Amino acid sequence: MKIASLFSEKTVFSFEVFPPKKTSPIETVFDTLEKLQGLNPDFISVTLGAGGSGNGGHTLTIARRLKEQYGITPMAHLPCINYTREQIDVLLEQMRENGIENILALRGDKIPDVEPAKDFIHASDLIEYIKTKGDFDIAGACYPEVHTEAENMEEDLKNLKKKVDAGATHLISQLFFDNESFYTFLDSARSAGINVPIEAGIMPVTNSKQITRMVSMCGASLPRKFTRIIQRYEDNPEVLRDAGIAYAIDQIVDLIASGVDGIHLYTMNQPYVAKKISEAIESLIK
Ligand code: FAD
């Protein structure tokens, strides 16, 4: 099923999972998948490291298992910065063979000391290329608080529009903790002529180290009511997890009440957290 077709029917609710490290067996993620599928998301996306030789095999195995074993529509992430055209061709062929119709086309983060492959400079280049390679539904990433390499929102939105014009049928946002920043971005995106559905990326915070790492990578701003939680409970993992779940639910309720197109939950492969959130918002997303 093409994910783009879902947005006209309902508020889309999706999950994101990541494959185990290359050194770990693929089976270590199966238990997580089984528990997540019971929560009945509209689709599950599977990340793929930007390293080039990375874990593409694991990503495709997980995507295929989601579809065949659990009947869940998968979306495979595909970062292009360190892949040659030939490597992308191989991955697209494998997706086709495995019946994977939905791709999140990404540039990927630059890796220090790794020279990019240079066949694809921006995600929009990859989207244009995939369009010539078959009948895939292609999504792109967007940044409510501006991508770290962009000068400002205006420039970032101009580039985002190129992605949509190249063929992205919907967008998934970077995580954010301040809904107001998402609403400002959404208004600006619509004014810039970006009219495809935009899912809000929500990451429930479950430990303080994770949040420090994520925020340093993506530059998300932290509202005071959020930092108060971190400061108060950083040494009490169980309470921090519960407070993080409550914060995410509060964000999601506000987003849905405001008419958001969809919620993309960064599950961090934690079914307990995804379950608590899914149960809390179940009646809102029907
Ligand atoms: P682009 O759209 O290429 O944008 C990157 C920068 O270039 C921006 O500053 C943009 O303004 C600018 N730009 C874009 N197009 C043009 C253009 N045509 N001309 C000039 N400038 C342009 N990374 C992974 O490696 N694997 C994953 O699985 C993964 N999953 C992700 C999922 C989501 C929902 C999100 C939000 C991010 C994910 N990332 C992943 C991280 C992502 O790869 C990085 O954020 C990366 O730095 C940018 O990727 P992009 O696709 O947005 O790039």
Side-chain angles (χ1 to χ4, degrees):
M1 187 219 293
K2 303 271 194 321
I3 289 165
S5 67
L6 290 172
F7 291 94
S8 59
E9 293 166 17
K10 67 187 293 277
T11 308
V12 170
F13 184 51
S14 55
F15 293 161
E16 179 169 311
V17 297
F18 53 81
K21 289 200 178 97
K22 263 194 289 183
T23 45
S24 303
I26 182 86
E27 288 75 18
T28 54
V29 80
F30 288 171
D31 184 46
T32 300
L33 299 182
E34 189 141 345
K35 289 180 174 142
L36 290 177
Q37 69 96 24
L39 304 176
N40 215 12
D42 290 306
F43 70 91
I44 297 184
S45 82
V46 191
T47 67
L48 202 165
S53 59
N55 53 0
H58 274 3
T59 297
L60 297 191
T61 304
I62 292 169
R64 180 173 157 186
R65 190 176 175 95
L66 285 169
K67 185 180 159 100
E68 289 182 356
Q69 193 128 342
Y70 305 127
I72 300 261
T73 302
M75 169 189 271
H77 294 210
L78 185 56
C80 59
I81 187 169
N82 292 315
Y83 284 108
T84 61
R85 195 173 293 265
E86 289 70 31
Q87 287 171 312
I88 292 288
D89 283 342
V90 170
L91 284 164
L92 291 175
E93 188 48 40
Q94 287 170 347
M95 287 189 201
R96 208 173 294 112
E97 281 167 9
N98 286 298
I100 297 159
E101 298 176 280
N102 298 283
I103 298 176
L104 178 58
L106 299 148
R107 186 198 69 183
D109 281 322
K110 293 175 181 165
I111 301 176
D113 305 324
V114 174
E115 185 62 23
K118 295 203 176 73
D119 279 353
F120 304 96
I121 309 295
H122 303 293
S124 52
D125 303 327
L126 178 65
I127 295 171
E128 247 170 48
Y129 187 67
I130 298 173
K131 288 290 284 179
T132 68
K133 290 281 162 181
D135 189 22
F136 292 105
D137 184 14
I138 310 165
C142 62
Y143 301 85
E145 297 183 86
V146 182
H147 186 260
T148 46
E149 291 164 37
E151 284 285 320
N152 51 44
M153 172 85 81
E154 199 186 340
E155 182 200 303
D156 211 21
L157 285 174
K158 234 197 270 167
N159 294 328
L160 185 59
K161 175 98 171 44
K162 290 180 195 163
K163 267 198 259 204
V164 174
D165 290 345
T169 58
H170 51 118
L171 301 167
I172 303 181
S173 94
Q174 180 60 282
L175 63 94
F176 60 91
F177 301 106
D178 179 1
N179 285 5
E180 294 310 317
S181 64
F182 182 78
Y183 298 138
T184 304
F185 161 77
L186 204 55
D187 284 348
S188 309
R190 298 310 183 210
S191 300
I194 295 163
N195 294 315
V196 296
I198 300 180
E199 274 195 275
I202 297 294
M203 178 175 284
V205 172
T206 53
N207 74 64
S208 57
K209 264 201 206 119
Q210 161 210 351
I211 195 61
T212 312
R213 196 168 60 85
M214 287 297 170
V215 168
S216 73
M217 272 168 65
C218 73
S221 59
L222 303 177
R224 281 195 63 205
K225 83 172 182 180
F226 182 85
T227 50
R228 273 199 294 270
I229 292 174
I230 302 282
Q231 281 159 8
R232 180 147 183 123
Y233 302 121
E234 64 185 339
D235 297 325
N236 192 337
E238 249 179 51
V239 178
L240 180 61
R241 183 194 62 191
D242 288 348
I245 291 170
Y247 190 92
I249 292 169
D250 187 44
Q251 268 193 289
I252 294 170
V253 171
D254 179 55
L255 286 160
I256 295 176
S258 303
V260 73
D261 295 311
I263 301 290
H264 187 68
L265 193 67
Y266 295 99
T267 70
M268 303 304 287
N269 291 12
Q270 295 187 54
Y272 173 85
V273 174
K275 183 169 188 284
K276 289 282 173 196
I277 294 173
S278 302
E279 285 171 354
I281 63 160
E282 198 180 357
S283 62
L284 281 71
I285 52 167
K286 278 195 174 134

